[in-house]
Amino acid sequence: MSPRSVVTSPAPTVAKQLSFLDRYLPVWILAAMALGLALGRLVPGLNSALDAVKIGSVSLPIALGLLVMMYPVLAKVRYDETRRITADRRLMGLSLVLNWVLGPALMFALAWVFLPDLPAYRTGLIIVGLARCIAMVLIWNDLACGDREAAAVLVAINSVFQVLAFSALGWFYLVVLPGWLGLPTASADFSFWAIFVSVLVFLGIPLAAGFLTRYVGEKTKGRRWYESVLLPKLGPWALVGLLFTIVLLFALQGETITSRPFDVARIAVPLVAYFAVMWTGSLFASRAAGLDYAHATTVAFTAAGNNFELAIAVAIGTFGVTSGQALAGVVGPLIEVPVLVALVYVSLWLRPRLFPAPAATQVADPTASGPYRG
């Protein structure tokens, strides 16, 4: 058997590595969208019922859905690995630049190029660009044989950094930078503090809960029990929360979506361009920086993915549940899932071509990162 066949043989089984729920995630999202549209048409007074009880400016049912979908993801992070991974200056420097400088700037540019006449959707995409991935990137990275611990640490750093810097970056990209460039700024509804509160509530609370869950779980039962028994029980709730939120959002957005379906298609175009450009550029930049395949892949997927859960929460909290900004965030997962699954296959195909290694190393390394590790 050739080294290339050893390296690329996992590719046909990528889909099989996903759970039943994750494998058909685009189907569930489409079904949730259809159900939401039907409820919006068939249930009179739904808008008033959802707005009856609020947390800040977000209705209580939607707020609960947002918190439920964030918590399980943050409970998966191995927070104790932070120090070891952060010692790699090349990895950390490259990841921080890609995630917090180039990624938001690229989404800003694409939003203005493709949506110059749709300010609400444009603003929603810019918010998506600021919300760095902390969720399904762990799945994509695992399937592509990336470094599992490095991905978890980058997710943890992105989580903390978003709490600290998201509001300032939102103010810069929505108000300051457009002003410098002579472009229209975000509407008067934009508020630095509204974004700050949204991030603090919808990221800060589940981040603290995820950290405490892992700390207490490992302290009392050990890491093996925590990751093999508790996490599999918590994991599906992230998808439940996402689908529940999408149903409610589309129930409230039904009239807008059915009257302007081409707007949804226009939102999808810059998203596809963003994923392709960001992932490809990050992989080649990592290779040029001297990172090995496992770490280069991790950097590429963490840079290309986005935290749509947070983007949806911020858009709802700042602009309202029926806003175009919220719709832009909701369309995101529908596009991200199939595109990044395809990039898993591309990553495995490129592995022997961009990161060649001696045959003995490729065949006999039992500690290689990824889902195929024993």
Side-chain angles (χ1 to χ4, degrees), residues 34-340:
L35 177 59
L37 291 174
L39 288 175
R41 292 276 187 174
L42 300 175
V43 181
L46 182 60
N47 290 24
S48 300
L50 290 175
D51 284 335
V53 182
K54 293 185 175 182
I55 297 179
S57 60
V58 181
S59 71
L60 179 60
I62 292 179
L64 291 176
L66 293 169
L67 292 172
V68 167
M69 71 182 175
M70 296 287 284
Y71 163 66
V73 174
L74 293 166
K76 292 181 179 180
V77 177
R78 289 182 174 181
Y79 297 93
D80 59 351
E81 294 284 344
T82 303
R83 181 176 298 179
R84 179 179 65 83
I85 302 299
T86 53
D88 188 335
R89 295 185 178 181
R90 286 183 304 170
L91 175 70
M92 290 305 306
L94 188 59
S95 179
L96 289 174
V97 169
L98 289 168
N99 273 284
W100 297 103
V101 179
L102 297 182
L106 176 61
M107 188 68 89
F108 175 87
L110 290 171
W112 274 99
V113 168
F114 287 98
L115 302 171
D117 58 328
L118 296 171
Y121 300 153
R122 184 178 65 236
T123 297
L125 281 185
I126 292 172
I127 291 174
V128 167
L130 295 175
R132 311 314 302 164
C133 193
I134 65 169
M136 292 195 74
V137 66
L138 297 174
I139 296 175
W140 315 135
N141 179 73
D142 238 21
L143 293 174
C145 300
D147 187 282
R148 191 173 295 167
E149 281 67 40
V153 170
L154 293 180
V155 160
I157 291 172
N158 279 346
S159 301
V160 174
F161 202 84
Q162 283 178 98
V163 173
L164 300 176
F166 191 101
S167 302
L169 288 171
W171 175 70
F172 175 78
Y173 278 102
L174 295 175
V175 177
V176 176
L177 185 56
W180 288 351
L181 299 176
L183 301 170
T185 60
S187 69
D189 293 333
F190 172 79
S191 165
F192 174 92
W193 292 110
I195 286 187
F196 177 79
V197 171
S198 295
V199 174
L200 191 63
V201 171
F202 295 110
L203 181 58
I205 290 176
L207 176 62
F211 173 82
L212 289 174
T213 300
R214 178 172 280 276
Y215 177 80
V216 174
E218 290 191 357
K219 198 78 171 177
T220 56
K221 295 282 191 175
R223 173 163 289 185
R224 175 171 295 183
W225 173 89
Y226 182 83
E227 296 189 345
S228 62
V229 177
L230 182 60
L231 284 185
K233 294 179 180 178
L234 294 178
W237 284 99
L239 178 57
V240 171
L242 174 63
L243 296 179
F244 176 75
T245 303
I246 287 175
V247 169
L248 296 183
L249 288 175
F250 272 75
L252 297 173
Q253 293 272 12
E255 184 177 349
T256 300
I257 295 168
T258 55
S259 62
R260 290 178 288 179
F262 290 108
D263 287 359
V264 176
R266 289 188 61 183
I267 293 171
V269 173
L271 283 170
V272 172
Y274 173 85
F275 294 136
V277 173
M278 199 66 194
W279 185 87
T280 304
S282 299
L283 186 71
F284 280 91
S286 300
R287 180 176 181 268
L291 298 183
D292 60 17
Y293 171 81
H295 290 94
T297 300
T298 298
V299 169
F301 277 100
T302 52
N306 290 89
N307 183 0
F308 288 102
E309 298 92 336
L310 177 61
I312 292 169
V314 169
I316 292 173
T318 306
F319 298 99
V321 70
T322 59
S323 65
Q325 291 87 344
L327 178 60
V330 170
V331 173
L334 181 66
I335 307 302
E336 180 185 35
V337 172
V339 171
L340 291 189

